[in-house]
Amino acid sequence: MTDTALVLGAGGLTGVGWEIGILYGLAEAGTDLSTADLVIGSSAGAVVGAQLTSGLLTLSELYERQLADPRGEIVSHLGAATLLRFVQAALTSRTPEAYAQKLARMRPAAGGQDEAARREVIARRLVSHEWPARPLRVTAVDAVTGELRVFEKDNGVPVVDAVAASCAVPGVWPAVTAEGRKWIDGGVHSCANAQLAAGYARVVVIAPNAAGGGVLVSPRRQAARLAAEGARVEVITPDAAARKAFGRNVLDPARRAPAARAGLAQASAHAEAVAALWTGGTMKA
């Protein structure tokens, strides 16, 4: 087995803030997960992963960015009707690919951004528009086949396009064009895609959305499979205070700062376990 992997899951703008809050809090407690040998990001996690691996800002600086005025971001909603279609698609699909195909047929809400405008929003979120030197995997889903795709530095797809594809929530944002194909949100395949960390000895999964069921495998079930293969795995999902901070709309830019603060506050509860895993030690009795 190779060594350490950090998995950053999907979860909207609140997920971006919360994940960075968790990472900053863990670093303040003595464990800097930005040292991971591999970072895997889906949707919100793709944004955080690209920011983290750029090496241009410290975790403290990334955290402060979450507290700033979210100008340039656009308020959107995962409305009740859209969420119902997600649930219906999950209940009537036999595979993650079939589920993704159904979601891909959903059109963005009227008045939403076009693909170019949406790309500009993603570009402003990123610290760098170049792939990092360190290994970063960004997930997206083929809008036609429903298959999971992993974008990496050597694929030839610009990192902005890869992250934009990973964040293309069906029914909210337009699909993203890359490699002559259309791509939707990487979180459609699963909330974390932690299976991509197979072969790594120590894995930390930070998942703003812990959901699973039916054809969708939850982050904890994916972590259990990794553990069964011999990995040590720690999964962090939002506590009650974080879920309250997220509010009812995870795509609301105004909720990003409260989510970041909630992540920072929650990190202390996981600091000992994460430190023991990351250093190869054991927790105190």
Side-chain angles (χ1 to χ4, degrees):
M1 278 191 171
T2 47
D3 208 7
T4 56
L6 172 63
V7 178
L8 300 166
L13 277 173
T14 58
V16 172
W18 177 79
E19 287 181 0
I20 289 178
I22 288 284
L23 290 167
Y24 178 47
L26 291 174
E28 287 293 282
T31 305
D32 183 358
L33 298 184
S34 70
T35 62
D37 296 307
L38 171 67
V39 176
I40 299 164
S42 298
S43 200
V47 174
V48 177
Q51 292 176 339
L52 188 69
T53 57
S54 73
L56 298 178
L57 295 179
T58 65
L59 275 167
S60 174
E61 291 168 327
L62 288 175
Y63 178 74
E64 289 301 320
R65 288 185 87 204
Q66 307 314 301
L67 308 184
D69 181 354
R71 66 184 60 189
E73 294 286 354
I74 306 297
V75 179
S76 192
H77 297 84
L78 274 171
T82 301
L83 289 173
L84 179 59
R85 291 186 67 180
F86 274 54
V87 172
Q88 290 174 331
L91 294 176
T92 57
S93 300
R94 293 187 177 182
T95 65
E97 290 77 19
Y99 171 68
Q101 287 175 320
K102 291 176 181 178
L103 294 190
R105 291 194 286 269
M106 297 171 62
R107 295 292 178 261
Q113 293 173 299
D114 62 24
E115 184 178 344
R118 178 63 178 160
R119 187 184 190 279
E120 286 302 311
V121 171
I122 298 299
R124 287 194 294 269
R125 284 185 196 170
L126 301 187
V127 179
S128 170
H129 294 172
E130 301 294 331
W131 281 97
R134 296 175 49 223
L136 170 66
R137 295 178 183 172
V138 173
T139 68
V141 169
D142 189 306
V144 175
T145 67
E147 295 176 344
L148 183 68
R149 174 76 156 89
V150 178
F151 292 113
E152 300 180 82
K153 182 178 181 180
D154 294 337
N155 293 151
V157 174
V159 70
V160 174
D161 292 326
V163 174
S166 193
C167 294
V169 182
V172 179
W173 306 119
V176 170
T177 306
E179 299 180 318
R181 303 185 69 82
K182 292 288 188 179
W183 305 94
I184 59 173
D185 196 310
V188 165
H189 190 270
S190 81
C191 293
N193 292 302
Q195 76 281 0
L196 297 176
Y200 283 76
R202 293 174 287 163
V203 182
V204 174
V205 181
I206 304 178
N209 187 343
V215 298
L216 302 178
V217 182
S218 71
R220 292 196 182 280
R221 281 181 59 197
Q222 291 179 335
R225 291 177 183 177
L226 293 175
E229 295 169 358
R232 294 182 61 184
V233 189
E234 185 72 21
V235 180
I236 302 175
T237 57
D239 61 13
R243 293 193 297 271
K244 183 177 180 180
F246 292 176
R248 295 184 178 181
N249 181 18
V250 299
L251 301 180
D252 183 356
R255 305 308 303 171
R256 187 182 67 187
R261 295 188 181 98
L264 178 60
Q266 183 182 344
S268 61
H270 305 277
E272 183 179 357
V274 171
L277 181 150
W278 212 244
T279 60
T282 57
M283 290 183 63
K284 298 177 181 178

